[in-house]
Each structure stands twice: as structure tokens, then as C-alpha cells.
Amino acid sequence: MQPHRFSIGMSLTGLALVMLLAWLPGVSMADIYMHEGRDGVPMFTDQRDMGPDYTFVRRYGRPTARHSCQGLTRSMLDQRAADQMGWVMHYARHHQVDQELIRAIITVESCFDRFAVSRVGAQGLMQLMPGTAREVGVDNSFDPRQNIRGGVTYFARMLDRFDGDLTLALAAYNAGPGAVERHGGVPPFRETQGYIERVFNEYRLLGGRP
């Protein structure tokens, strides 16, 4: 697919930009970049690198996963969760995984923001990386049903791979199963260790027992 490239005046408002980009087929809002040409005219495209004739200015896109949790009260989080718990219960039951554990994972991953995107490109409620999404048959990670189905499927696979060990399964979900196997346990990554702790804390709040 050829990249979408178009010039546009700097006076365009952010709302108008979002509306315009929404009309472009096949363009994710997580993949819009602004560059400036040598003539000073801004260029919006789905390509991060435009070559030596353009200077990268900024990225436009969906809120990051961390940003999705800012200013969120518990009642607001519970309302977001309520909108998606039907799918959580369905797929957790199908894969014989505790639904409250899946709820805890989604809370830590995205605070139930279906449009969240991480700084490394993980997408949606359960923050599926594009390769993982393809692996579990998800073609739209921003669709709640697909994302939850894919995320629960992948987590269940991690549980099977690590003999039902919740800690190792969570480590694999966050850092990848290869990292867990290379290190013979939870990898010595601060992010992964903190992730496991946050999921278990949330799980306890929901009545689970890690």
C-alpha cells in the first residue's frame, strides 16, 4: 500500500484534522505524522520517515495507554469496565480464566480505553501488539470484542505454556514468552516486575487471590 501524503494549511483545527483523517481508508489514527518540507509547508502522512527533504514535527494519534488513566476516578473506571464486561465474561469463561483477572489486566493495560495506544504500538483494551493480534486472528484491535477475544486467547496460551503459573503468564504477556524462558522466570525488567505487581494489586481489589 502506498503511503497517504497530503499538504494542509497550518490554520486547520485539531478537530478538522481528525475529521479529515477519518476519511482516509486504511489509515489508523495511531499512524499519522506531521512533517515540514523545505518550503515550510506541513505534510501529513502515515509514514514516520519521509526522507531528507522533510523534517519530522510531531505525531498525531490516539491517546497513549498511560494517558488514558489520568484523572480517572474509580467510578469512571467501573463504568468503562461495565460497558465491556459482557465480552470479558464470555471469553474468560470460554478459556477457563478468572474474569476478574482479565478485568485487572485490562485495567492496568488501558484503563478500559478501547482506543489506547502504547508508545511501542500496542493497541486497544488489552494492548495487543500488531504481531500478536495477527497471531490470534484479530484484524481490528480497536474493536472491543476482537481485542478482548484476542487478548484472553493469548493470555490463556501463556498460562498453558507456563503450567498455570499466573506470575510467569503475566510476565510473558508483558515481556514476551521468550524473555521469560531466557531468564528462567520473571525477566529482570523494572517495567515487567511493576506490571505484575499492579495487576495483582488490582486483582486483589476485585476479590481475586493471586
Side-chain angles (χ1 to χ4, degrees):
M1 178 182 296
Q2 292 298 313
H4 297 277
R5 302 180 183 183
F6 54 96
S7 299
I8 197 162
M10 288 298 290
S11 62
L12 186 66
T13 66
L15 177 59
L17 173 63
V18 170
M19 293 175 64
L20 180 58
L21 295 176
W23 285 95
L24 290 176
V27 177
S28 165
M29 282 300 296
D31 297 320
I32 301 300
Y33 302 95
M34 176 181 171
H35 306 266
E36 188 173 283
R38 291 181 177 177
D39 55 4
V41 175
M43 173 75 74
F44 293 88
T45 175
D46 55 353
Q47 299 297 300
R48 173 62 177 82
D49 185 3
M50 288 284 288
D53 292 334
Y54 292 90
T55 301
F56 173 74
V57 178
R58 64 168 297 180
R59 169 186 172 275
Y60 290 89
R62 303 177 189 274
T64 63
R66 179 172 296 182
H67 177 78
S68 298
C69 300
Q70 292 178 357
L72 200 65
T73 66
R74 193 73 201 187
S75 62
M76 293 166 64
L77 178 61
D78 289 343
Q79 182 57 57
R80 282 188 182 180
D83 293 339
Q84 308 299 342
M85 282 305 295
W87 297 126
V88 171
M89 290 186 288
H90 175 78
Y91 290 112
R93 187 182 306 116
H94 178 76
H95 288 283
Q96 298 183 316
V97 180
D98 187 345
Q99 68 184 45
E100 300 301 351
L101 178 59
I102 299 302
R103 178 173 176 172
I105 291 172
I106 297 175
T107 297
V108 172
E109 291 285 359
S110 67
C111 283
F112 279 88
D113 180 354
R114 59 179 288 194
F115 295 119
V117 178
S118 79
R119 60 183 176 79
V120 296
Q123 300 176 337
L125 293 169
M126 297 193 70
Q127 292 290 276
L128 301 178
M129 292 295 290
T132 302
R134 289 191 296 271
E135 181 182 331
V136 293
V138 171
D139 56 30
N140 180 5
S141 289
F142 299 117
D143 177 80
R145 180 178 183 176
Q146 286 196 49
N147 190 287
I148 292 169
R149 174 180 57 78
V152 176
T153 298
Y154 186 73
F155 182 69
R157 289 180 183 177
M158 296 303 99
L159 279 172
D160 288 343
R161 186 163 178 169
F162 295 100
D163 300 319
D165 189 310
L166 291 183
T167 299
L168 295 185
L170 286 170
Y173 192 88
N174 176 262
V180 175
E181 290 167 348
R182 284 194 303 274
H183 291 279
V186 177
F189 308 149
R190 182 178 300 176
E191 177 186 341
T192 300
Q193 293 168 352
Y195 171 81
I196 294 169
E197 181 178 359
R198 291 195 304 275
V199 171
F200 279 156
N201 286 342
E202 183 66 26
Y203 188 34
R204 292 186 189 97
L205 283 175
L206 295 170
R209 297 182 179 180

